[in-house]
Amino acid sequence: MNIVVCVKYVPDATGDRRFNDADHTVDRVGVDGLLSELDEYAVEEALKIVEASDGSEGEVTVLTVGPEQAADAIRKSLQMGAHKGVHVLDDAIHGSDAAATSLLLAEAIKKVGAESAWDLVICGMASTDGSMSVVPAMLAERLGVAQVTFGSEISVTGDMVSIRRDGDTATETVEASTPLVLSVTDQSNEPRYPSFKGIMAAKKKPVETWSLADLGVPAEQVGLAAAWTKVDASAARPPREAGTIVTDEGDGAARLVEFLAGQKFI
Amino acid sequence: MTEVLVLVDHVDGAVKKTTSELLTIARRLGEPSAVFFGTGVEQAKETLAQFGAAKVYVVEDAALGEFLVAPKAEAMAQLVEKTQPAAVLIPSYAEGKEIAGRLSVKLESGLITDAVDVKAGDNGPQTTQSVFAGSFTVTAQVTKGTPIITVKPNSATPEPTDGAAEVEPFAVTISDAAKTARIVDSKPREKTGRPELTEAAIVVSGGRGTGGNFEPVEAFADSLDAAVGASRAAVDSGWYPHSYQVGQTGKTVSPQLYIAAGISGAIQHRAGMQTSKTIVAINKDEEAPIFELVDFGVVGDLHTVLPAATEEVTKRKG
């Protein structure tokens, strides 16, 4: 099976995250960034599927759209074991919304497919920055293939893919035949750490950089000016006022209930 | 007045509270029309009328229940073509957001997800979102096409009014391309008798500090008529089902009162509860980052504090 994994380079959630003052876009350049943690599950699932189809040829291509630093997300995926990388990089992409991002991913996936046909596109369940969870659905729409999303357990038999999807009201089993777009949750697997061998091997793996022109996407269709939504303002939430903290010396429960009663919760 | 389409979130006609919230919000933007997929509209009609739905479009096509997302997105697109609404409001659950995503591409219309407030503006709806684990607030608007907005639970207080809730069956044409991801099995989640996690006014969550014993957490929650949640650490340890996980990869909750018991307060968890109105924590470790967020905190062992507090609450409630 040939698999394309879509990954995103995001600001480190444990570090300082902010917006650019001028255009309210996420600052991806002036802060520490990394491969979105939730995309590691997508890379892992792809590697597992290819490894399970023993003997048969299968390649994992990792694809990202993002600034120069986004190459880090590709490198990490290659270190985990993906075979090659594609980086869609163009100054005109800055400020693209989910719709434009899905367009770029879809066009890049078609270009990958023109060289060798793909069976699966795998995405994480959400990015850890925008966390919209809509790009996999948008990709399926643009590629005209089945959408098998939020898989917490994945099984592949021949060209049939089946997932367990845990919804709010029910747990569903969803299946479709390839080609399709699959997204996986953080319940699906345990992402591997890159081994020393993997880190060394990654240095020799091919990474192609494609511009808008390479994809045949006009600059007017992407970037901040082409976005279908506009952010008017972004502001840090005021810090919460320091609360009362008591140490339990046998009276902790009583003081807790006193507080709740004072706030009219009881 | 221009119509505003509201996708009804329901299970066999039992309408979820988010729908009343969305109908209330829709009235700020125009005249709400409920969009009802599946069966059970007779049961749902009363609630939809009570919160101001003028019309109820009913789509009963079997494909909507047999295949994932895509047929619903096609049905919604056909309804938008017919009604030319001022906006489309969809509840922010996983499938809702996916329907919205596909609809956005189909209609070439802007999409805003996870709004916590929506107001009428000069150029259409203006939304407020809470982002980066609740540390930033963003206001935004759609600039192209029909605004598609997914709205989080608890984003408005449902206000009753009178709506006609005139039922109008709507026939859709679902393409073969949309009938590809088949739902071959569906097991309803077990009922706990507790409030729905994302809708509850009070949530009591347990984490690593429970050591796997959720009884004190559940008992305290029950004394307060609260929902029960769990941290990722507790879920990953297999102590509580994933569907109760509060955090970035679980549910986002924004209740009046959030009580974190034995939860350290890692960013992953904060992302799911930081916008709660009042926050309380019980934790043995006085250095736990959760204490940075609290209105009231107890440094102590939840296994002694919670049972005593449960007893006291029960006594007070008589």
Side-chain angles (χ1 to χ4, degrees), chain A residues 103-161:
Chain A
L103 172 69
L104 291 165
L105 289 171
E107 292 307 316
I109 289 164
K110 286 178 195 165
K111 190 167 155 71
V112 169
E115 289 167 25
S116 66
W118 53 268
D119 303 286
L120 287 178
V121 171
I122 308 185
C123 306
M125 66 187 284
S127 61
T128 57
D129 56 351
S131 61
M132 293 175 78
S133 285
V134 298
V135 165
M138 287 177 157
L139 264 182
E141 179 73 34
R142 290 193 185 276
L143 294 168
V145 299
Q147 167 192 343
V148 181
T149 45
F150 291 100
S152 285
E153 203 182 316
I154 294 93
S155 67
V156 180
T157 316
D159 70 346
M160 283 301 285
V161 177

Side-chain angles (χ1 to χ4, degrees), chain B residues 206-262:
Chain B
R208 202 186 296 276
T210 62
N213 177 12
F214 262 69
E215 268 177 40
V217 173
E218 291 183 334
F220 190 49
D222 290 342
S223 77
L224 294 166
D225 296 320
V228 173
S231 73
R232 183 175 179 178
V235 170
D236 282 355
S237 302
W239 298 339
Y240 224 69
H242 179 253
S243 44
Y244 296 92
Q245 184 177 317
V246 173
Q248 183 169 44
T249 57
K251 301 283 184 312
T252 308
V253 299
S254 197
Q256 298 295 320
L257 171 63
Y258 186 84
I259 301 175

Side-chain angles (χ1 to χ4, degrees), chain A residues 41 141 147 149 165 168-169 171 173 175 186-187 228 230 232-233 235 237 240 244 246 248 258, chain B residues 98 102 106 134-135 137 139 141 143 182 184-185 187 189 232 249 251 274 277 293 295 297 299 316:
Chain A
Y41 297 89
E141 179 73 34
Q147 167 192 343
T149 45
R165 176 174 159 117
D168 286 345
T169 53
T171 292
T173 306
E175 59 181 41
D186 62 338
Q187 304 292 300
W228 298 348
K230 176 175 171 287
D232 296 313
R237 199 181 155 86
R240 295 185 82 100
T244 308
V246 302
D248 178 34
E258 202 50 51
Chain B
E98 294 188 305
R102 298 189 75 125
K106 279 180 197 298
S135 60
T137 302
T139 52
Q141 56 184 305
T143 49
R182 185 180 292 275
V184 293
D185 185 41
K187 288 189 189 69
R189 223 173 71 195
R232 183 175 179 178
T249 57
K251 301 283 184 312
Q274 191 148 251
K277 298 256 175 357
L293 297 181
D295 298 282
V299 180
R316 285 191 186 223

